Amino acid sequence: MRQLVLLRHGQSTWNRENRFTGWTDVDLSEQGHREAERAAEQLRRHHLAPSICYTSYLRRAIRTLWIVQEQCDWMWLPTRAHWRLNERHYGALQGLNKAEAARDVGEAQVHLWRRSFDVAPPPLPDGDTRLPDQEARYRAIGKEAMPRAESLKDTIARTLPYWEEAIAPALRAGQTPLVVAHGNSLRGLVKYLDGIADDAIVDLEIPTGQPLVYELDDALHPLRHYYLRDLEDA
Ligand SMILES: O=C(O)[C@H](O)COP(=O)(O)O
């Protein structure tokens, strides 16, 4: 049996303000710090022992991982950051308040943008200072691969190559990966692992700061999955 631990970052300042965040590099809120500390406690209490860590290029995920690593005495673990684990790019919605957007364009449209499989938000226009290709961390990737807005489908298409090239081989080699990423990059991974249908993915939510453990067979098919908090409630 192989184990994989998925963890969405703790609450960010823009989660707290209910803003579309995407690739905006906001930090954890105080509550987010506490959530990361609680996640670390749960991982320790349940004797989870990752042997390699993966995260995105965004500080809310990186800091969550740092907090977990520090609290669990795992700062020595090999750690890889990759842009393919970033949050879905929320395009021109980034920075807008989600409730205000719903008042402007209607709940149904905002729900489509947030939870549908293949509806992408409006893209960032040419010359927008928020385009990722302006940032040093994305410079090596090439302009064509840089998103201006992504649906969940687009997010999965750029996340899965990293699963195939790094995380799945680590699992096959007997490693236990801890993947600290984002609501939608993790929704995409879970959709892939559990074979969730395109129209059923609207109902899947991944909470902040809650370790989600997958047990997989040798072919990396999930045998079961559970949140550590559910073991504690049981
Ligand atoms: O990027 C964001 O705004 C959040 O991380 C995820 O947002 P969502 O729950 O609206 O998809």
Side-chain angles (χ1 to χ4, degrees), residues 2 37 42 45 48 51 55 68 70 75 96-97 106 115 120 133 152 156 178 197 201 215 219 222 230 232:
R2 291 156 205 273
E37 285 165 5
Q42 289 178 327
R45 208 165 33 245
L48 267 294
S51 55
T55 191
V68 167
E70 182 158 32
M75 290 168 85
L96 299 184
N97 178 284
R115 290 294 169 266
D133 56 20
L152 183 64
I156 294 172
L178 166 62
I201 196 62
E215 295 177 0
D230 296 335
E232 304 193 343

Side-chain angles (χ1 to χ4, degrees), residues 112-128:
L112 265 185
W113 281 330
R114 294 182 64 198
R115 290 294 169 266
S116 68
F117 179 58
D118 53 10
V119 177
L124 289 176
D126 281 343
D128 195 298

Side-chain angles (χ1 to χ4, degrees), residues 8 15 19-22 60 87 90 98 114-115 184:
R8 182 179 176 195
N15 290 146
R19 288 172 195 263
F20 288 101
T21 314
R60 57 196 189 271
E87 181 55 293
Y90 256 123
K98 295 176 190 182
R114 294 182 64 198
R115 290 294 169 266
N184 292 293

Side-chain angles (χ1 to χ4, degrees), residues 101-149:
R103 276 199 293 278
D104 289 348
V105 298
E107 292 278 353
Q109 180 60 56
V110 169
H111 189 255
L112 265 185
W113 281 330
R114 294 182 64 198
R115 290 294 169 266
S116 68
F117 179 58
D118 53 10
V119 177
L124 289 176
D126 281 343
D128 195 298
T129 52
R130 295 168 296 173
L131 285 169
D133 56 20
Q134 319 267 340
E135 289 189 53
R137 75 188 87 178
Y138 301 119
R139 212 160 277 151
I141 299 158
K143 248 184 166 166
E144 327 67 56
M146 284 294 86
R148 289 174 171 224

